Amino acid sequence: MLRLRNVLRPTHGYNVARLVSARYSSTKVVGIDLGTTNSAIAYIKDSNNKNSVEIIENNEGNRTTPSVVAFGKDKKWIVGEAAKRQASINPMNTFYATKRLIGRHFDSSEVKLDIEIMPFKIVPSPDNGQAYLCTTDGNVKSPSEIGSYILDHLKKQAQDYLNEKIDKAVITVPAYFNDSQRQATKDAGKLAGLKVLRVINEPTAAALSFGMDDKSNSGIIAVYDLGGGTFDISILDIEDGVFEVRATNGDTHLGGEDFDNVVVNYIIDSFVKENPEINKNNLLNNNEVIQRVKVAAEKAKIALSHVTETEISIPFITRNKHFLKTLKERELDDMTLHLINRTINPVKKALKDADIDPEDIDDIILVGGMTRMPKIRKIVEQLFNKKPTTTVNPDETVALGAAIQGGVLSGEIKNVLLLDVTPLSLGIETFGGAFSPLIPRNTTVPAKKTEVFSTGVDGQTSVLFKVYQGERGLVRDNKLIGDFVLKGIPPMLKGKPQIFVTFDVDADGIINVTASEKSTGKEQSVTVISNSGLTQDEIKKMVEEGQKNKDMDNKLRSRIELINKADVMISDTERAFEQFREVISLEENYESILKELHTVRETINLYKNNENDFSLDVNNIKRATDTLQNKSLKLFQAASKRQAKLKDTKQ
Ligand code: AMP
């Protein structure tokens, strides 16, 4: 058992990140927004100016690239614009929105929904039942592999554009992604030949590109992200460079495509109304027609973000018929209002979870192409009673933020670094079941700390180190995350061995705990990888429990510390009695000190036997120990002199 204090390990601080100064030096690190519908890649153009972060256009001159991968008729993989273009003629081999499947189990409810609505085949992976994709000729690919094709495509475009090798990246993920989804995203990067230096939250990246890395920019930010296929709302608390995602909510099946489908139905209905001889179902089942109508619908939807009415023109929608109609912005607003309204509840829930009123939000950042729609901006403004910020480009902001982080890691930006922090305190169990934290909650990683411990029992030759995370005073209320035994300690009196315990947490949240005994140099360690993880809700609950029980935990901890101290005092006194055995009974205070020793023993026994009785005043232990200490010191000084004299006379 350890008596002193110290140790650690935990999960990655997904929901919290901090900006600190750093000095790194390496080659360019690009920032990649691997989106559900579209992806984007950005870099730092001028290392002296972080505002010079720029999107790299693809070969077709577009600033975002469709996150679409297809297995073509010629049995070759096609990515991006080309894959999207052939979707209507090859729907079962054209994989899109696969980000919704990444790191997810085939049996999960989210995957079940996609199995129903996606035109391509989703299968369970043979080894661990994850959701994989399958082409019509049985070629099975993981969502990470599909993601890697997109990343590789973006990487190559960047290499062509910058004329240099790109092998390092910062990739963004939704704030709600768990360990397995984050790891699968990292795997995608690795498969694409990229070293993924960090995986950062999309809303955090958006806030970075908005300029929230400046320390003076503390505040509460709402990031409203409506893209092509998903809706996310995140509430961020930014204080002194620490980014904390206080709450997230959303809908993984709501986005621009639903708006397009509403317009597609409007076009088909209008067309059939004007041409009653045409069979609607035949039209709906004609993939090629639907694809052309979809393109026209999206075009009209986008146009209506800039003009109040637009003409939808689809020549030869059937053999000899054209479609031509004017669509007004107001009409589009009306027909899609039910979709816009579906974002309201998630926003309200996120605010409630973050325990924040809409008026407390300092800024609203819009992310995702759909947020260009004026009606959406209006509804967001009503929801928060404040105009959203429009200075950042909603399709590009996430990639730009990732590039800023990449620039920091490469050394191109000198004064900021987004780092993860430990979401919970890390420590070890010490004597009496107390939790001794070595690395407090919210410590920026990488972090390293060493503390010295000792044994709690005479002659103890081994120590069991139990590593915990949590905010409570006793280990029984925290989470055990690893343990190991240090053997071969030479038998010594308790408190004598010096055991150095070091917690070393790297930037990816991997924790190495080492214990070494000074006299022998014997060493033992455990590595805890932060991938088992606690969910954000569990972490939140643990922090709340810690706060709620702070007073009680402090009382318990100080009681344990006082008992430990008294225990040590008792053994030290007994040892001294033994040492001065020949002369001690001659000292005048001898009897009264024996009595004090007895009192201390009785007192701590009383507390040990009534662990849950908090009416007992812990100051009684302190008083008894202090009295024993003061009186015995005088006694042993006198006894020591007497013994020395005795020795002299004997000689
Ligand atoms: P993202 O996933 O962020 O790339 O968003 C893509 C979605 O935004 C697609 O559904 C686009 O049709 C939509 N979008 C892009 N630009 C606009 C615009 N100006 N107005 C409305 N929707 C847009």
Side-chain angles (χ1 to χ4, degrees):
M1 224 14 121
L2 287 182
R3 180 185 293 149
L4 287 180
R5 23 178 353 253
N6 246 359
V7 185
L8 127 107
R9 118 68 231 231
T11 66
H12 226 37
Y14 298 148
N15 57 343
V16 194
R18 167 176 293 168
L19 286 166
V20 296
S21 51
R23 271 163 281 110
Y24 279 80
S25 157
S26 61
T27 52
K28 206 167 270 314
V29 180
V30 292
I32 301 179
D33 168 11
L34 182 60
T36 308
T37 320
N38 294 300
S39 296
I41 183 165
Y43 78 113
I44 304 289
K45 192 174 182 189
D46 172 2
S47 50
N48 293 319
N49 177 7
K50 130 180 151 234
N51 296 325
S52 75
V53 57
E54 272 203 10
I55 291 284
I56 299 169
E57 286 178 2
N58 66 21
N59 291 345
E60 308 206 5
N62 295 324
R63 298 169 72 79
T64 62
T65 296
S67 305
V68 182
V69 174
F71 192 59
K73 298 268 184 235
D74 57 355
K75 309 262 180 263
K76 285 202 179 106
W77 289 94
I78 321 163
V79 185
E81 311 273 2
K84 189 177 176 182
R85 266 197 298 270
Q86 56 82 73
S88 63
I89 51 160
N90 187 22
M92 291 181 75
N93 291 314
T94 304
F95 303 111
Y96 62 93
T98 54
K99 183 174 167 178
R100 286 206 289 246
L101 305 172
I102 203 163
R104 285 200 198 269
H105 205 268
F106 180 77
D107 291 330
S108 66
S109 55
E110 294 87 356
V111 172
K112 280 197 178 120
L113 186 53
D114 273 333
I115 292 171
E116 265 174 42
I117 60 175
M118 292 311 217
F120 46 80
K121 205 163 161 195
I122 301 169
V123 295
S125 72
D127 51 342
N128 56 7
Q130 295 268 318
Y132 275 29
L133 294 315
C134 184
T135 63
T136 43
D137 59 1
N139 201 344
V140 174
K141 292 278 165 197
S142 70
S144 293
E145 281 172 286
I146 299 293
S148 79
Y149 292 151
I150 301 165
L151 292 171
D152 184 58
H153 185 74
L154 294 169
K155 180 186 86 172
K156 286 185 176 139
Q157 312 256 348
Q159 288 182 161
D160 285 352
Y161 184 86
L162 299 170
N163 206 14
E164 65 178 279
K165 188 172 158 56
I166 299 293
D167 57 8
K168 296 189 191 75
V170 169
I171 303 181
T172 58
V173 292
Y176 59 79
F177 258 28
N178 63 22
D179 283 298
S180 139
Q181 291 167 300
R182 280 162 203 264
Q183 190 52 53
T185 305
K186 269 189 149 181
D187 292 346
K190 205 169 161 192
L191 288 169
L194 289 167
K195 188 162 187 225
V196 183
L197 300 189
R198 287 278 193 291
V199 166
I200 65 169
N201 290 328
E202 286 160 9
T204 302
L208 270 176
S209 87
F210 176 59
M212 289 307 298
D213 50 331
D214 182 341
K215 274 203 170 188
S216 57
N217 268 336
S218 288
I220 297 174
I221 306 263
V223 180
Y224 180 104
D225 179 352
L226 187 61
T230 52
F231 169 62
D232 295 313
I233 173 77
S234 312
I235 310 292
L236 300 191
D237 192 348
I238 302 168
E239 221 176 300
D240 291 337
V242 176
F243 287 60
E244 181 177 8
V245 181
R246 296 253 304 238
T248 69
N249 211 298
D251 186 334
T252 50
H253 289 88
L254 174 65
E257 215 185 311
D258 300 299
F259 288 67
D260 300 344
N261 288 337
V262 167
V263 182
V264 166
N265 285 335
Y266 162 81
I267 295 172
I268 298 285
D269 285 345
S270 315
F271 185 66
V272 173
K273 209 167 163 191
E274 282 164 20
N275 304 280
E277 74 284 4
I278 289 178
N279 182 310
K280 185 176 165 183
N281 282 338
N282 284 352
L283 270 186
L284 289 173
N285 290 328
N286 186 331
N287 263 336
E288 227 177 303
V289 168
I290 291 300
Q291 190 55 29
R292 286 180 62 219
V293 174
K294 247 188 184 170
V295 170
E298 185 180 12
K299 202 170 145 215
K301 175 192 76 175
I302 292 175
L304 289 175
S305 291
H306 313 287
V307 291
T308 52
E309 58 177 63
T310 187
E311 204 166 72
I312 305 174
S313 161
I314 311 171
F316 301 106
I317 192 165
T318 56
R319 235 173 305 140
N320 55 357
K321 298 244 185 270
H322 311 302
F323 179 82
L324 185 68
K325 202 167 168 70
T326 300
L327 182 66
K328 292 194 167 62
E329 186 191 354
R330 196 178 28 78
E331 290 172 307
L332 177 72
D333 292 351
D334 289 346
M335 65 175 97
T336 57
L337 191 63
H338 65 288
L339 295 173
I340 304 175
N341 283 342
R342 272 173 58 192
T343 68
I344 295 176
N345 260 340
V347 170
K348 288 189 173 159
K349 276 195 205 135
L351 286 168
K352 189 161 172 264
D353 289 348
D355 200 13
I356 277 176
D357 291 326
E359 305 77 61
D360 298 334
I361 301 282
D362 296 301
D363 280 295
I364 305 131
I365 304 180
L366 299 175
V367 176
M370 274 314 301
T371 61
R372 286 214 173 86
M373 186 173 172
K375 180 72 180 175
I376 290 178
R377 294 191 171 187
K378 218 172 275 166
I379 298 258
V380 172
E381 188 180 334
Q382 281 167 11
L383 267 172
F384 293 99
N385 213 0
K386 186 176 272 132
K387 268 200 182 334
T389 302
T390 49
T391 51
V392 283
N393 193 332
D395 320 300
E396 301 174 1
T397 178
V398 170
L400 295 174
I404 291 173
Q405 175 61 21
V408 173
L409 293 172
S410 69
E412 286 172 291
I413 296 175
K414 295 286 186 290
N415 56 352
V416 287
L417 168 61
L418 184 71
L419 282 180
D420 286 313
V421 299
T422 52
L424 293 167
S425 302
L426 297 164
I428 53 167
E429 175 176 9
T430 51
F431 212 67
F435 176 56
S436 294
L438 261 79
I439 307 244
R441 164 180 141 73
N442 273 356
T443 299
T444 306
V445 293
K448 193 172 176 176
K449 191 162 177 204
T450 301
E451 275 190 35
V452 186
F453 291 82
S454 194
T455 49
V457 176
D458 287 341
Q460 190 177 333
T461 55
S462 68
V463 173
L464 169 63
F465 285 89
K466 285 187 163 181
V467 183
Y468 285 85
Q469 64 180 356
E471 301 311 308
R472 302 292 305 276
L474 299 184
V475 291
R476 65 168 190 223
D477 299 315
N478 290 327
K479 188 169 190 255
L480 179 68
I481 52 177
D483 59 21
F484 65 101
V485 175
L486 177 67
K487 288 186 189 149
I489 304 168
M492 284 185 248
L493 292 172
K494 63 181 167 190
K496 291 290 171 213
Q498 281 189 292
I499 300 167
F500 290 84
V501 179
T502 302
F503 272 59
D504 196 348
V505 192
D506 75 7
D508 283 324
I510 294 165
I511 303 138
N512 196 275
V513 184
T514 310
S516 66
E517 196 276 314
K518 197 180 171 199
S519 71
T520 56
K522 280 219 155 63
E523 194 174 286
Q524 200 54 254
S525 65
V526 68
T527 299
V528 200
I529 301 165
S530 61
N531 64 359
S532 56
L534 292 162
T535 65
Q536 284 186 33
D537 281 350
E538 284 168 329
I539 292 172
K540 197 172 154 217
K541 208 167 139 213
M542 286 173 87
V543 172
E544 281 167 6
E545 290 280 308
Q547 274 154 2
K548 207 165 70 195
N549 293 289
K550 208 171 170 184
D551 288 349
M552 177 62 78
D553 283 351
N554 282 344
K555 264 190 206 161
L556 276 170
R557 213 184 336 224
S558 76
R559 182 198 269 230
I560 290 171
E561 271 168 20
L562 287 169
I563 291 176
N564 286 346
K565 218 174 137 194
D567 252 338
V568 176
M569 194 64 221
I570 291 171
S571 11
D572 285 353
T573 312
E574 284 173 342
R575 252 197 318 270
F577 271 122
E578 183 58 26
Q579 189 184 344
F580 302 120
R581 190 178 17 157
E582 289 176 66
V583 295
I584 198 90
S585 56
L586 302 172
E587 298 301 333
E588 61 176 311
N589 279 338
Y590 171 64
E591 294 290 336
S592 82
I593 289 178
L594 265 186
K595 228 174 93 198
E596 294 299 346
L597 184 64
H598 182 71
T599 311
V600 176
R601 200 178 277 126
E602 291 276 279
T603 314
I604 63 171
N605 281 342
L606 176 73
Y607 282 82
K608 278 180 182 170
N609 295 335
N610 295 284
E611 219 180 63
N612 296 320
D613 182 355
F614 290 99
S615 63
L616 293 170
D617 183 0
V618 284
N619 284 322
N620 290 338
I621 312 177
K622 192 171 169 0
R623 265 193 295 273
T625 317
D626 287 349
T627 313
L628 176 64
Q629 187 167 24
N630 291 335
K631 286 193 177 173
S632 62
L633 188 66
K634 282 184 198 136
L635 174 79
F636 295 134
Q637 276 170 348
S640 163
K641 271 188 201 155
R642 194 185 289 272
Q643 198 167 45
K645 259 192 210 157
L646 191 70
K647 257 191 199 157
D648 284 350
T649 42
K650 273 185 185 165
Q651 279 166 5

